Amino acid sequence: MKWTVVWQSEALDALAELWNIGPDRSEVAEASDRIDWLLKRDPHSQGEERDGDARILIEPPLAIYFTVSDEDMLVTIYDVWRWSGKS
């Protein structure tokens, strides 16, 4: 089964800004492509659960929050940010 992945406009704008201002455009592009690929195939096995229906997925240098709707086979990405992996 293939899931539909949509980026909410706020997340898409944030992704574009990360790409525009970052020194690592190719890494950002590759990470967003990996995110789409992973979520289209099996979103429930990606990342970790958070409050409510939210999940977090880290694909360096990006991290996202997303939700999964089984009824619609729809994955919605609603936030993206740069992940440094440092505490």
Side-chain angles (χ1 to χ4, degrees):
M1 291 189 292
K2 198 168 192 180
W3 295 73
T4 300
V5 177
V6 296
W7 292 70
Q8 287 188 340
S9 60
E10 296 85 4
L12 201 54
D13 290 346
L15 178 62
E17 184 171 342
L18 290 170
W19 186 85
N20 282 324
I21 65 172
D24 55 350
R25 288 181 172 184
S26 63
E27 288 88 354
V28 169
E30 290 168 5
S32 67
D33 288 345
R34 281 192 311 273
I35 288 167
D36 284 338
W37 186 87
L38 290 167
L39 295 178
K40 284 180 182 179
R41 277 139 190 84
D42 189 8
H44 288 292
S45 69
Q46 303 306 318
E48 299 175 357
E49 292 181 17
R50 290 296 188 251
D51 293 333
D53 296 333
R55 296 185 68 82
I56 185 173
L57 174 62
I58 299 168
E59 275 296 315
L62 301 177
I64 63 164
Y65 278 129
F66 67 99
T67 57
V68 179
S69 172
D70 292 323
E71 184 176 303
D72 301 323
M73 292 199 60
L74 179 68
V75 179
T76 303
I77 299 170
Y78 62 92
D79 197 8
V80 61
W81 63 97
R82 179 171 299 282
W83 178 260
S84 68
K86 298 176 184 174
S87 300

